Each structure stands twice: as structure tokens, then as C-alpha cells.
Amino acid sequence: MKVAVLVSGSGSNLQALLDAIAAGRLPVQISLVLADRPGIRALERAQRAGVPTEVLRPRAFAQRADFDAALAAACAASGAELVVLAGFMRVLGPRFVDAWEGRCLNVHPALLPAFPGIDAPRQALEYGVRITGCTVHLVDRGTDTGPIVLQQAVPVLPGDDPASLHARIQREEWRLLPEAVRLYALGRLRVRGRRVEIVGEEND
Amino acid sequence: MKVAVLVSGSGSNLQALLDAIAAGRLPVQISLVLADRPGIRALERAQRAGVPTEVLRPRAFAQRADFDAALAAACAASGAELVVLAGFMRVLGPRFVDAWEGRCLNVHPALLPAFPGIDAPRQALEYGVRITGCTVHLVDRGTDTGPIVLQQAVPVLPGDDPASLHARIQREEWRLLPEAVRLYALGRLRVRGRRVEIVGEEND
């Protein structure tokens, strides 16, 4: 299965996918790494792994919907059957979401539905929770509201600041996201309303 | 330290407190078990443990605020320095909350701020989370919004219904609530805005 990955930053989640593929743990091929800005480390990582890259800048488009449509079309043109948002820092509009509904995964640094949107580790610290985590979910039209595929709890520790907490969460994302992509690629996810069932055997 | 416990049902969290006290793990005395209805199992548990009980029925009061004030006064009259809501099924009004601010703990069957209010295990299942849990927090004027003392994550398992999930969460509540009361009684909680710091040594 071909997978397109959308990135905006350092690409550590992209790297986790590339590492899992290289290690034979993830039976997919990344057909395209698509960025919304040039010069980011995620693009270097893709190029080093021999993965095609493309940059689409929002300001190159007259309207936001055109940007969304171009993103959706570029993913499709790469042959991807799944799109992964791996630290993509833009909310995608309906032109994108509707085109990839049920076939787009996002990773979010909180135990949704707690702390959606930006700066989730900071939100968690300010609320004063003892436990936060990360979530891989299917993307719908809302902000971080789609059906949940996998979650991992992460403790908040005394003395944490947003950066130290985010770093602890990210280490779990690097395990959780490749696992969710693997389950998707193996056809083991069944979406029933808001609930995602994991079907089939672990030894397939 | 004397502690008053408010109950509405079976009293399994009350039993967890009584068991921890009997085992020498919780250096407090329960000075009163206060119920909003007669004939419930929590009252039997209290009586079996030799703990004074009292029933205050809301309909015996002309106004809700009078009921809240009577609850607050009964707790104070028992000599309690802390009130624990252990499955108390009424939202307490400002007459109670303001009187016991910073000195009242509640246990809630979810990882707050996710799924406040009633039927939290059902809410969690309907949302489709993979991880929920329980929270012990200080009570403020909101519904399950007060500063968080302790949390424990609990997995949602395939085939769970609200009852099976709630039972799994409750087993963690029975550990978490006595631990939170112990930290309070030992003076180890420092509230700084929304954040609760746990201070001091583990071997005190």
C-alpha cells in the first residue's frame, strides 16, 4: 500500500514511519512527502530515504479551498491509498477532508477528546492533569474529533514544562503512528460510527 | 484527621477507605458517613465499621441551598477537616462548595477534563476512546472541574459495555481515593492555581 505523508516541521514522525518500513515492521511504501513550506528537516529526511517530495505553499493559491484541493490531488496522483498527517500544522478544509474521508490519519499529542487543537502539552500542563498522552485518529471535518484508532497514556511528571512533556509524548507517537498505519494497511480497522474496531489476528 | 464521607449508593469507595484505615495504610478517622437517602448499602457498611451515619433528604428542605448548608454543617459538626464525595450522586451547590473549598475531594470515573458529569463510562464508550480512567480532584463550583490530585489510566477493551468498563475503572478508584486522602491527611498537597503539587517524602 502506498502512503502519502503531510509534514510541516522536523519530521520525527515521518522518520518513525521510514524506520519501521526499513526494519520490515511496516508493509507500506511512502509514495510522497508533501510539505506546506520549503527547507524543513522533514523534506531532508524524505530525500535521504529516497522518497519523492513536493512543496505546496498556501499563498500560491488564490483561495484556501484551492490549496486543499491541490493537496488532495497531489496525494492521489502519487498513488497513495492513505494519507498520514505527521506534524502537519494546518487545519485541512472540507475539500481535502471529504476527498480522503476514512483514509487519512492524524497523530495528536493528547488523549483526545481532552486538549484538541494547538499546544496540547501546554494545555495539559495548564489544566493540571496527571496523565495525558497521544492519539492516532481518522480525520473528519472537526479539529481532532475523528474516530480514534489508537491511544497511549503518558504521565505528567513534576517539573515538566511544555517542551519536556511534549518530548515524552512524542516518543510514544513514534511507536503509535507506525502501528496505526500497519493496522490500516493490513485492513484490520473497521469503523462503526465513532468506534474503530481492530479485527483479525495479531500474527498476520 | 477526621474525614466525613458523602454517599448515595453501594459505598464501594467508602469500603476502600474503611479497608485502608483498618489495614493501617490510611491515618484518618471517618467521623461521619452522610447519605442523601436511607436504606442504601453504604450506610450498612458504615454501621458495620462502627462509623456514625446520618441521612439528609433533599425533599426535607424548602430550598436546595438549605440542603447544601445542612450537609456542610453536619460535616463540620462531626469534627471533619476533609469531606470525601464517594459516589455522592448530587451536584453540590455553592453553599456547600464554598464552605469546604480546598477541603473536599471527589472521585470521578474518567480522565478529566474528558467526560465530566454523569455516565462517564458510557460517554467514553460512545466517543470511542481506547483509554479512560479515574480522577480524584478537589471540588470547586463547576461540574468535575476542580484541581486534579491523582489520575489513573484504564484501558477500554474490545466488547466492553458501560458496566464492564465502569467495574474496571472502580477497581482503580478503590486504590486511588485512599491514596489521595492519605496525601491530603499528611499535608502533602499544595494547590497552586489549577495545579496540585505533591510535596515531601514517600517514607513519611
Side-chain angles (χ1 to χ4, degrees), chain A residues 44-82:
Chain A
E44 289 173 35
R45 295 185 196 263
Q47 284 148 10
R48 199 183 315 135
V51 169
T53 62
E54 193 171 335
V55 176
L56 287 175
R57 306 181 83 165
R59 67 184 184 201
F61 297 85
Q63 295 178 44
R64 175 57 188 270
D66 296 335
F67 171 67
D68 290 333
L71 281 178
C75 293
S78 78
E81 296 174 64
L82 172 69

PDB file of all heavy atoms in Angstrom, chain A residues 44-82:
ATOM      1  N   GLU A  44      14.326  16.896   4.143  1.00  0.00           N
ATOM      2  CA  GLU A  44      15.655  16.259   4.110  1.00  0.00           C
ATOM      3  C   GLU A  44      15.564  14.776   4.432  1.00  0.00           C
ATOM      4  O   GLU A  44      16.202  13.935   3.793  1.00  0.00           O
ATOM      5  CB  GLU A  44      16.592  16.906   5.143  1.00  0.00           C
ATOM      6  CG  GLU A  44      17.042  18.309   4.827  1.00  0.00           C
ATOM      7  CD  GLU A  44      17.810  18.893   6.010  1.00  0.00           C
ATOM      8  OE1 GLU A  44      18.534  18.132   6.694  1.00  0.00           O
ATOM      9  OE2 GLU A  44      17.659  20.096   6.268  1.00  0.00           O
ATOM     10  N   ARG A  45      14.779  14.472   5.453  1.00  0.00           N
ATOM     11  CA  ARG A  45      14.639  13.062   5.850  1.00  0.00           C
ATOM     12  C   ARG A  45      14.077  12.235   4.693  1.00  0.00           C
ATOM     13  O   ARG A  45      14.506  11.107   4.455  1.00  0.00           O
ATOM     14  CB  ARG A  45      13.709  12.934   7.055  1.00  0.00           C
ATOM     15  CG  ARG A  45      14.232  13.578   8.346  1.00  0.00           C
ATOM     16  CD  ARG A  45      13.238  13.233   9.456  1.00  0.00           C
ATOM     17  NE  ARG A  45      13.351  14.039  10.649  1.00  0.00           N
ATOM     18  CZ  ARG A  45      14.012  13.680  11.751  1.00  0.00           C
ATOM     19  NH1 ARG A  45      14.663  12.526  11.782  1.00  0.00           N
ATOM     20  NH2 ARG A  45      14.030  14.439  12.812  1.00  0.00           N
ATOM     21  N   ALA A  46      13.065  12.801   4.015  1.00  0.00           N
ATOM     22  CA  ALA A  46      12.443  12.087   2.893  1.00  0.00           C
ATOM     23  C   ALA A  46      13.457  11.864   1.787  1.00  0.00           C
ATOM     24  O   ALA A  46      13.587  10.744   1.253  1.00  0.00           O
ATOM     25  CB  ALA A  46      11.247  12.885   2.377  1.00  0.00           C
ATOM     26  N   GLN A  47      14.199  12.929   1.460  1.00  0.00           N
ATOM     27  CA  GLN A  47      15.162  12.829   0.360  1.00  0.00           C
ATOM     28  C   GLN A  47      16.246  11.808   0.683  1.00  0.00           C
ATOM     29  O   GLN A  47      16.639  11.018  -0.178  1.00  0.00           O
ATOM     30  CB  GLN A  47      15.750  14.207   0.058  1.00  0.00           C
ATOM     31  CG  GLN A  47      14.738  15.094  -0.714  1.00  0.00           C
ATOM     32  CD  GLN A  47      14.858  16.577  -0.415  1.00  0.00           C
ATOM     33  OE1 GLN A  47      15.810  17.017   0.241  1.00  0.00           O
ATOM     34  NE2 GLN A  47      13.905  17.357  -0.895  1.00  0.00           N
ATOM     35  N   ARG A  48      16.704  11.805   1.929  1.00  0.00           N
ATOM     36  CA  ARG A  48      17.718  10.844   2.347  1.00  0.00           C
ATOM     37  C   ARG A  48      17.208   9.404   2.189  1.00  0.00           C
ATOM     38  O   ARG A  48      17.979   8.488   1.913  1.00  0.00           O
ATOM     39  CB  ARG A  48      18.137  11.109   3.798  1.00  0.00           C
ATOM     40  CG  ARG A  48      19.460  10.483   4.178  1.00  0.00           C
ATOM     41  CD  ARG A  48      19.792  10.722   5.651  1.00  0.00           C
ATOM     42  NE  ARG A  48      19.533  12.095   6.047  1.00  0.00           N
ATOM     43  CZ  ARG A  48      18.919  12.459   7.161  1.00  0.00           C
ATOM     44  NH1 ARG A  48      18.486  11.552   8.020  1.00  0.00           N
ATOM     45  NH2 ARG A  48      18.743  13.728   7.444  1.00  0.00           N
ATOM     46  N   ALA A  49      15.899   9.222   2.378  1.00  0.00           N
ATOM     47  CA  ALA A  49      15.316   7.882   2.254  1.00  0.00           C
ATOM     48  C   ALA A  49      14.884   7.576   0.824  1.00  0.00           C
ATOM     49  O   ALA A  49      14.316   6.516   0.555  1.00  0.00           O
ATOM     50  CB  ALA A  49      14.118   7.752   3.196  1.00  0.00           C
ATOM     51  N   GLY A  50      15.137   8.523  -0.104  1.00  0.00           N
ATOM     52  CA  GLY A  50      14.775   8.287  -1.499  1.00  0.00           C
ATOM     53  C   GLY A  50      13.290   8.388  -1.776  1.00  0.00           C
ATOM     54  O   GLY A  50      12.790   7.804  -2.741  1.00  0.00           O
ATOM     55  N   VAL A  51      12.588   9.153  -0.954  1.00  0.00           N
ATOM     56  CA  VAL A  51      11.139   9.303  -1.123  1.00  0.00           C
ATOM     57  C   VAL A  51      10.862  10.604  -1.877  1.00  0.00           C
ATOM     58  O   VAL A  51      11.449  11.644  -1.554  1.00  0.00           O
ATOM     59  CB  VAL A  51      10.447   9.328   0.256  1.00  0.00           C
ATOM     60  CG1 VAL A  51       8.988   9.738   0.137  1.00  0.00           C
ATOM     61  CG2 VAL A  51      10.575   7.970   0.946  1.00  0.00           C
ATOM     62  N   PRO A  52       9.964  10.577  -2.884  1.00  0.00           N
ATOM     63  CA  PRO A  52       9.620  11.809  -3.599  1.00  0.00           C
ATOM     64  C   PRO A  52       9.029  12.862  -2.666  1.00  0.00           C
ATOM     65  O   PRO A  52       8.295  12.526  -1.727  1.00  0.00           O
ATOM     66  CB  PRO A  52       8.554  11.348  -4.607  1.00  0.00           C
ATOM     67  CG  PRO A  52       8.729   9.874  -4.729  1.00  0.00           C
ATOM     68  CD  PRO A  52       9.269   9.393  -3.415  1.00  0.00           C
ATOM     69  N   THR A  53       9.377  14.123  -2.930  1.00  0.00           N
ATOM     70  CA  THR A  53       8.855  15.216  -2.105  1.00  0.00           C
ATOM     71  C   THR A  53       8.206  16.264  -2.991  1.00  0.00           C
ATOM     72  O   THR A  53       8.496  16.362  -4.183  1.00  0.00           O
ATOM     73  CB  THR A  53       9.969  15.901  -1.284  1.00  0.00           C
ATOM     74  OG1 THR A  53      10.902  16.477  -2.203  1.00  0.00           O
ATOM     75  CG2 THR A  53      10.671  14.922  -0.365  1.00  0.00           C
ATOM     76  N   GLU A  54       7.340  17.036  -2.371  1.00  0.00           N
ATOM     77  CA  GLU A  54       6.683  18.128  -3.075  1.00  0.00           C
ATOM     78  C   GLU A  54       6.348  19.195  -2.041  1.00  0.00           C
ATOM     79  O   GLU A  54       6.050  18.878  -0.889  1.00  0.00           O
ATOM     80  CB  GLU A  54       5.402  17.600  -3.743  1.00  0.00           C
ATOM     81  CG  GLU A  54       4.795  18.539  -4.757  1.00  0.00           C
ATOM     82  CD  GLU A  54       3.655  17.886  -5.554  1.00  0.00           C
ATOM     83  OE1 GLU A  54       3.644  16.636  -5.681  1.00  0.00           O
ATOM     84  OE2 GLU A  54       2.773  18.628  -6.008  1.00  0.00           O
ATOM     85  N   VAL A  55       6.422  20.454  -2.450  1.00  0.00           N
ATOM     86  CA  VAL A  55       6.058  21.554  -1.559  1.00  0.00           C
ATOM     87  C   VAL A  55       4.894  22.314  -2.190  1.00  0.00           C
ATOM     88  O   VAL A  55       4.965  22.714  -3.341  1.00  0.00           O
ATOM     89  CB  VAL A  55       7.247  22.512  -1.321  1.00  0.00           C
ATOM     90  CG1 VAL A  55       6.813  23.700  -0.461  1.00  0.00           C
ATOM     91  CG2 VAL A  55       8.414  21.770  -0.673  1.00  0.00           C
ATOM     92  N   LEU A  56       3.824  22.457  -1.427  1.00  0.00           N
ATOM     93  CA  LEU A  56       2.691  23.272  -1.871  1.00  0.00           C
ATOM     94  C   LEU A  56       2.497  24.372  -0.835  1.00  0.00           C
ATOM     95  O   LEU A  56       2.215  24.095   0.329  1.00  0.00           O
ATOM     96  CB  LEU A  56       1.414  22.418  -1.982  1.00  0.00           C
ATOM     97  CG  LEU A  56       1.360  21.451  -3.155  1.00  0.00           C
ATOM     98  CD1 LEU A  56       0.100  20.585  -3.078  1.00  0.00           C
ATOM     99  CD2 LEU A  56       1.368  22.214  -4.481  1.00  0.00           C
ATOM    100  N   ARG A  57       2.670  25.622  -1.274  1.00  0.00           N
ATOM    101  CA  ARG A  57       2.569  26.731  -0.324  1.00  0.00           C
ATOM    102  C   ARG A  57       1.190  27.360  -0.421  1.00  0.00           C
ATOM    103  O   ARG A  57       0.746  27.745  -1.507  1.00  0.00           O
ATOM    104  CB  ARG A  57       3.643  27.766  -0.636  1.00  0.00           C
ATOM    105  CG  ARG A  57       5.021  27.126  -0.677  1.00  0.00           C
ATOM    106  CD  ARG A  57       6.090  28.145  -0.959  1.00  0.00           C
ATOM    107  NE  ARG A  57       6.465  28.809   0.271  1.00  0.00           N
ATOM    108  CZ  ARG A  57       7.570  29.550   0.391  1.00  0.00           C
ATOM    109  NH1 ARG A  57       8.377  29.738  -0.651  1.00  0.00           N
ATOM    110  NH2 ARG A  57       7.864  30.116   1.536  1.00  0.00           N
ATOM    111  N   PRO A  58       0.515  27.517   0.697  1.00  0.00           N
ATOM    112  CA  PRO A  58      -0.856  28.071   0.684  1.00  0.00           C
ATOM    113  C   PRO A  58      -0.933  29.399  -0.058  1.00  0.00           C
ATOM    114  O   PRO A  58      -1.893  29.657  -0.781  1.00  0.00           O
ATOM    115  CB  PRO A  58      -1.183  28.238   2.170  1.00  0.00           C
ATOM    116  CG  PRO A  58      -0.299  27.266   2.869  1.00  0.00           C
ATOM    117  CD  PRO A  58       0.948  27.153   2.044  1.00  0.00           C
ATOM    118  N   ARG A  59       0.097  30.240   0.091  1.00  0.00           N
ATOM    119  CA  ARG A  59      -0.007  31.571  -0.517  1.00  0.00           C
ATOM    120  C   ARG A  59       0.099  31.539  -2.038  1.00  0.00           C
ATOM    121  O   ARG A  59      -0.141  32.544  -2.702  1.00  0.00           O
ATOM    122  CB  ARG A  59       1.036  32.515   0.079  1.00  0.00           C
ATOM    123  CG  ARG A  59       2.464  32.155  -0.258  1.00  0.00           C
ATOM    124  CD  ARG A  59       3.414  33.102   0.476  1.00  0.00           C
ATOM    125  NE  ARG A  59       4.798  32.847   0.102  1.00  0.00           N
ATOM    126  CZ  ARG A  59       5.834  33.197   0.828  1.00  0.00           C
ATOM    127  NH1 ARG A  59       5.659  33.793   1.991  1.00  0.00           N
ATOM    128  NH2 ARG A  59       7.056  32.952   0.426  1.00  0.00           N
ATOM    129  N   ALA A  60       0.452  30.376  -2.578  1.00  0.00           N
ATOM    130  CA  ALA A  60       0.474  30.245  -4.032  1.00  0.00           C
ATOM    131  C   ALA A  60      -0.921  30.039  -4.608  1.00  0.00           C
ATOM    132  O   ALA A  60      -1.096  29.988  -5.822  1.00  0.00           O
ATOM    133  CB  ALA A  60       1.371  29.069  -4.430  1.00  0.00           C
ATOM    134  N   PHE A  61      -1.896  29.932  -3.742  1.00  0.00           N
ATOM    135  CA  PHE A  61      -3.263  29.666  -4.188  1.00  0.00           C
ATOM    136  C   PHE A  61      -4.169  30.841  -3.838  1.00  0.00           C
ATOM    137  O   PHE A  61      -4.045  31.435  -2.764  1.00  0.00           O
ATOM    138  CB  PHE A  61      -3.800  28.387  -3.534  1.00  0.00           C
ATOM    139  CG  PHE A  61      -3.013  27.170  -3.937  1.00  0.00           C
ATOM    140  CD1 PHE A  61      -1.846  26.824  -3.263  1.00  0.00           C
ATOM    141  CD2 PHE A  61      -3.415  26.386  -5.013  1.00  0.00           C
ATOM    142  CE1 PHE A  61      -1.100  25.719  -3.635  1.00  0.00           C
ATOM    143  CE2 PHE A  61      -2.677  25.287  -5.400  1.00  0.00           C
ATOM    144  CZ  PHE A  61      -1.517  24.941  -4.706  1.00  0.00           C
ATOM    145  N   ALA A  62      -5.088  31.144  -4.756  1.00  0.00           N
ATOM    146  CA  ALA A  62      -5.974  32.291  -4.552  1.00  0.00           C
ATOM    147  C   ALA A  62      -6.882  32.049  -3.345  1.00  0.00           C
ATOM    148  O   ALA A  62      -7.151  32.963  -2.568  1.00  0.00           O
ATOM    149  CB  ALA A  62      -6.807  32.528  -5.809  1.00  0.00           C
ATOM    150  N   GLN A  63      -7.349  30.819  -3.217  1.00  0.00           N
ATOM    151  CA  GLN A  63      -8.275  30.532  -2.122  1.00  0.00           C
ATOM    152  C   GLN A  63      -7.809  29.302  -1.358  1.00  0.00           C
ATOM    153  O   GLN A  63      -7.190  28.386  -1.918  1.00  0.00           O
ATOM    154  CB  GLN A  63      -9.674  30.249  -2.664  1.00  0.00           C
ATOM    155  CG  GLN A  63     -10.316  31.435  -3.352  1.00  0.00           C
ATOM    156  CD  GLN A  63     -11.671  31.070  -3.913  1.00  0.00           C
ATOM    157  OE1 GLN A  63     -12.462  30.407  -3.245  1.00  0.00           O
ATOM    158  NE2 GLN A  63     -11.929  31.483  -5.142  1.00  0.00           N
ATOM    159  N   ARG A  64      -8.197  29.283  -0.108  1.00  0.00           N
ATOM    160  CA  ARG A  64      -7.858  28.175   0.751  1.00  0.00           C
ATOM    161  C   ARG A  64      -8.358  26.835   0.187  1.00  0.00           C
ATOM    162  O   ARG A  64      -7.673  25.807   0.239  1.00  0.00           O
ATOM    163  CB  ARG A  64      -8.462  28.418   2.135  1.00  0.00           C
ATOM    164  CG  ARG A  64      -8.302  27.291   3.104  1.00  0.00           C
ATOM    165  CD  ARG A  64      -6.817  26.957   3.260  1.00  0.00           C
ATOM    166  NE  ARG A  64      -6.677  25.751   4.041  1.00  0.00           N
ATOM    167  CZ  ARG A  64      -6.561  25.726   5.337  1.00  0.00           C
ATOM    168  NH1 ARG A  64      -6.571  26.845   6.006  1.00  0.00           N
ATOM    169  NH2 ARG A  64      -6.439  24.596   5.979  1.00  0.00           N
ATOM    170  N   ALA A  65      -9.561  26.861  -0.382  1.00  0.00           N
ATOM    171  CA  ALA A  65     -10.135  25.624  -0.923  1.00  0.00           C
ATOM    172  C   ALA A  65      -9.280  25.083  -2.071  1.00  0.00           C
ATOM    173  O   ALA A  65      -9.181  23.867  -2.259  1.00  0.00           O
ATOM    174  CB  ALA A  65     -11.572  25.863  -1.389  1.00  0.00           C
ATOM    175  N   ASP A  66      -8.652  25.987  -2.824  1.00  0.00           N
ATOM    176  CA  ASP A  66      -7.791  25.547  -3.932  1.00  0.00           C
ATOM    177  C   ASP A  66      -6.545  24.845  -3.401  1.00  0.00           C
ATOM    178  O   ASP A  66      -6.077  23.866  -3.980  1.00  0.00           O
ATOM    179  CB  ASP A  66      -7.386  26.750  -4.787  1.00  0.00           C
ATOM    180  CG  ASP A  66      -8.590  27.408  -5.456  1.00  0.00           C
ATOM    181  OD1 ASP A  66      -9.607  26.713  -5.648  1.00  0.00           O
ATOM    182  OD2 ASP A  66      -8.507  28.611  -5.751  1.00  0.00           O
ATOM    183  N   PHE A  67      -6.000  25.373  -2.318  1.00  0.00           N
ATOM    184  CA  PHE A  67      -4.850  24.731  -1.676  1.00  0.00           C
ATOM    185  C   PHE A  67      -5.236  23.330  -1.202  1.00  0.00           C
ATOM    186  O   PHE A  67      -4.530  22.345  -1.468  1.00  0.00           O
ATOM    187  CB  PHE A  67      -4.384  25.595  -0.500  1.00  0.00           C
ATOM    188  CG  PHE A  67      -3.341  24.963   0.379  1.00  0.00           C
ATOM    189  CD1 PHE A  67      -2.058  24.700  -0.103  1.00  0.00           C
ATOM    190  CD2 PHE A  67      -3.635  24.626   1.700  1.00  0.00           C
ATOM    191  CE1 PHE A  67      -1.090  24.114   0.725  1.00  0.00           C
ATOM    192  CE2 PHE A  67      -2.676  24.050   2.521  1.00  0.00           C
ATOM    193  CZ  PHE A  67      -1.401  23.786   2.034  1.00  0.00           C
ATOM    194  N   ASP A  68      -6.371  23.233  -0.522  1.00  0.00           N
ATOM    195  CA  ASP A  68      -6.839  21.935  -0.028  1.00  0.00           C
ATOM    196  C   ASP A  68      -7.024  20.948  -1.189  1.00  0.00           C
ATOM    197  O   ASP A  68      -6.643  19.779  -1.087  1.00  0.00           O
ATOM    198  CB  ASP A  68      -8.161  22.088   0.731  1.00  0.00           C
ATOM    199  CG  ASP A  68      -7.985  22.809   2.066  1.00  0.00           C
ATOM    200  OD1 ASP A  68      -6.878  22.726   2.638  1.00  0.00           O
ATOM    201  OD2 ASP A  68      -8.944  23.437   2.524  1.00  0.00           O
ATOM    202  N   ALA A  69      -7.610  21.435  -2.270  1.00  0.00           N
ATOM    203  CA  ALA A  69      -7.852  20.562  -3.422  1.00  0.00           C
ATOM    204  C   ALA A  69      -6.539  20.122  -4.051  1.00  0.00           C
ATOM    205  O   ALA A  69      -6.395  18.961  -4.469  1.00  0.00           O
ATOM    206  CB  ALA A  69      -8.728  21.287  -4.451  1.00  0.00           C
ATOM    207  N   ALA A  70      -5.560  21.016  -4.086  1.00  0.00           N
ATOM    208  CA  ALA A  70      -4.260  20.673  -4.666  1.00  0.00           C
ATOM    209  C   ALA A  70      -3.542  19.631  -3.813  1.00  0.00           C
ATOM    210  O   ALA A  70      -2.909  18.705  -4.336  1.00  0.00           O
ATOM    211  CB  ALA A  70      -3.407  21.938  -4.809  1.00  0.00           C
ATOM    212  N   LEU A  71      -3.640  19.774  -2.490  1.00  0.00           N
ATOM    213  CA  LEU A  71      -3.050  18.773  -1.597  1.00  0.00           C
ATOM    214  C   LEU A  71      -3.687  17.405  -1.846  1.00  0.00           C
ATOM    215  O   LEU A  71      -2.986  16.391  -1.983  1.00  0.00           O
ATOM    216  CB  LEU A  71      -3.297  19.146  -0.130  1.00  0.00           C
ATOM    217  CG  LEU A  71      -2.441  20.203   0.550  1.00  0.00           C
ATOM    218  CD1 LEU A  71      -2.923  20.405   1.983  1.00  0.00           C
ATOM    219  CD2 LEU A  71      -0.968  19.811   0.556  1.00  0.00           C
ATOM    220  N   ALA A  72      -5.023  17.402  -1.900  1.00  0.00           N
ATOM    221  CA  ALA A  72      -5.743  16.143  -2.091  1.00  0.00           C
ATOM    222  C   ALA A  72      -5.352  15.503  -3.419  1.00  0.00           C
ATOM    223  O   ALA A  72      -5.132  14.283  -3.502  1.00  0.00           O
ATOM    224  CB  ALA A  72      -7.254  16.392  -2.037  1.00  0.00           C
ATOM    225  N   ALA A  73      -5.221  16.335  -4.454  1.00  0.00           N
ATOM    226  CA  ALA A  73      -4.893  15.811  -5.788  1.00  0.00           C
ATOM    227  C   ALA A  73      -3.469  15.288  -5.843  1.00  0.00           C
ATOM    228  O   ALA A  73      -3.200  14.249  -6.464  1.00  0.00           O
ATOM    229  CB  ALA A  73      -5.097  16.918  -6.828  1.00  0.00           C
ATOM    230  N   ALA A  74      -2.542  15.989  -5.182  1.00  0.00           N
ATOM    231  CA  ALA A  74      -1.144  15.533  -5.191  1.00  0.00           C
ATOM    232  C   ALA A  74      -1.005  14.181  -4.494  1.00  0.00           C
ATOM    233  O   ALA A  74      -0.257  13.307  -4.955  1.00  0.00           O
ATOM    234  CB  ALA A  74      -0.254  16.584  -4.496  1.00  0.00           C
ATOM    235  N   CYS A  75      -1.734  14.007  -3.404  1.00  0.00           N
ATOM    236  CA  CYS A  75      -1.698  12.709  -2.709  1.00  0.00           C
ATOM    237  C   CYS A  75      -2.227  11.609  -3.625  1.00  0.00           C
ATOM    238  O   CYS A  75      -1.611  10.530  -3.750  1.00  0.00           O
ATOM    239  CB  CYS A  75      -2.527  12.764  -1.421  1.00  0.00           C
ATOM    240  SG  CYS A  75      -1.824  13.856  -0.158  1.00  0.00           S
ATOM    241  N   ALA A  76      -3.349  11.887  -4.264  1.00  0.00           N
ATOM    242  CA  ALA A  76      -3.947  10.883  -5.157  1.00  0.00           C
ATOM    243  C   ALA A  76      -3.016  10.572  -6.324  1.00  0.00           C
ATOM    244  O   ALA A  76      -2.841   9.407  -6.702  1.00  0.00           O
ATOM    245  CB  ALA A  76      -5.305  11.379  -5.662  1.00  0.00           C
ATOM    246  N   ALA A  77      -2.395  11.614  -6.883  1.00  0.00           N
ATOM    247  CA  ALA A  77      -1.513  11.417  -8.044  1.00  0.00           C
ATOM    248  C   ALA A  77      -0.313  10.557  -7.699  1.00  0.00           C
ATOM    249  O   ALA A  77       0.262   9.905  -8.585  1.00  0.00           O
ATOM    250  CB  ALA A  77      -1.052  12.781  -8.570  1.00  0.00           C
ATOM    251  N   SER A  78       0.060  10.531  -6.421  1.00  0.00           N
ATOM    252  CA  SER A  78       1.208   9.701  -6.017  1.00  0.00           C
ATOM    253  C   SER A  78       0.837   8.231  -5.910  1.00  0.00           C
ATOM    254  O   SER A  78       1.701   7.391  -5.663  1.00  0.00           O
ATOM    255  CB  SER A  78       1.739  10.188  -4.665  1.00  0.00           C
ATOM    256  OG  SER A  78       0.921   9.736  -3.598  1.00  0.00           O
ATOM    257  N   GLY A  79      -0.432   7.938  -6.072  1.00  0.00           N
ATOM    258  CA  GLY A  79      -0.889   6.557  -5.945  1.00  0.00           C
ATOM    259  C   GLY A  79      -1.237   6.152  -4.524  1.00  0.00           C
ATOM    260  O   GLY A  79      -1.537   4.987  -4.258  1.00  0.00           O
ATOM    261  N   ALA A  80      -1.209   7.127  -3.605  1.00  0.00           N
ATOM    262  CA  ALA A  80      -1.469   6.801  -2.198  1.00  0.00           C
ATOM    263  C   ALA A  80      -2.911   6.343  -1.991  1.00  0.00           C
ATOM    264  O   ALA A  80      -3.836   6.857  -2.621  1.00  0.00           O
ATOM    265  CB  ALA A  80      -1.178   8.011  -1.311  1.00  0.00           C
ATOM    266  N   GLU A  81      -3.069   5.376  -1.102  1.00  0.00           N
ATOM    267  CA  GLU A  81      -4.396   4.957  -0.653  1.00  0.00           C
ATOM    268  C   GLU A  81      -4.683   5.440   0.764  1.00  0.00           C
ATOM    269  O   GLU A  81      -5.777   5.260   1.293  1.00  0.00           O
ATOM    270  CB  GLU A  81      -4.518   3.434  -0.681  1.00  0.00           C
ATOM    271  CG  GLU A  81      -4.417   2.847  -2.082  1.00  0.00           C
ATOM    272  CD  GLU A  81      -4.397   1.331  -2.021  1.00  0.00           C
ATOM    273  OE1 GLU A  81      -5.390   0.732  -1.592  1.00  0.00           O
ATOM    274  OE2 GLU A  81      -3.355   0.740  -2.397  1.00  0.00           O
ATOM    275  N   LEU A  82      -3.649   6.012   1.389  1.00  0.00           N
ATOM    276  CA  LEU A  82      -3.778   6.520   2.758  1.00  0.00           C
ATOM    277  C   LEU A  82      -2.937   7.785   2.859  1.00  0.00           C
ATOM    278  O   LEU A  82      -1.832   7.849   2.301  1.00  0.00           O
ATOM    279  CB  LEU A  82      -3.261   5.476   3.765  1.00  0.00           C
ATOM    280  CG  LEU A  82      -3.134   5.914   5.232  1.00  0.00           C
ATOM    281  CD1 LEU A  82      -4.514   6.133   5.849  1.00  0.00           C
ATOM    282  CD2 LEU A  82      -2.349   4.878   6.041  1.00  0.00           C
TER     283      LEU A  82
END
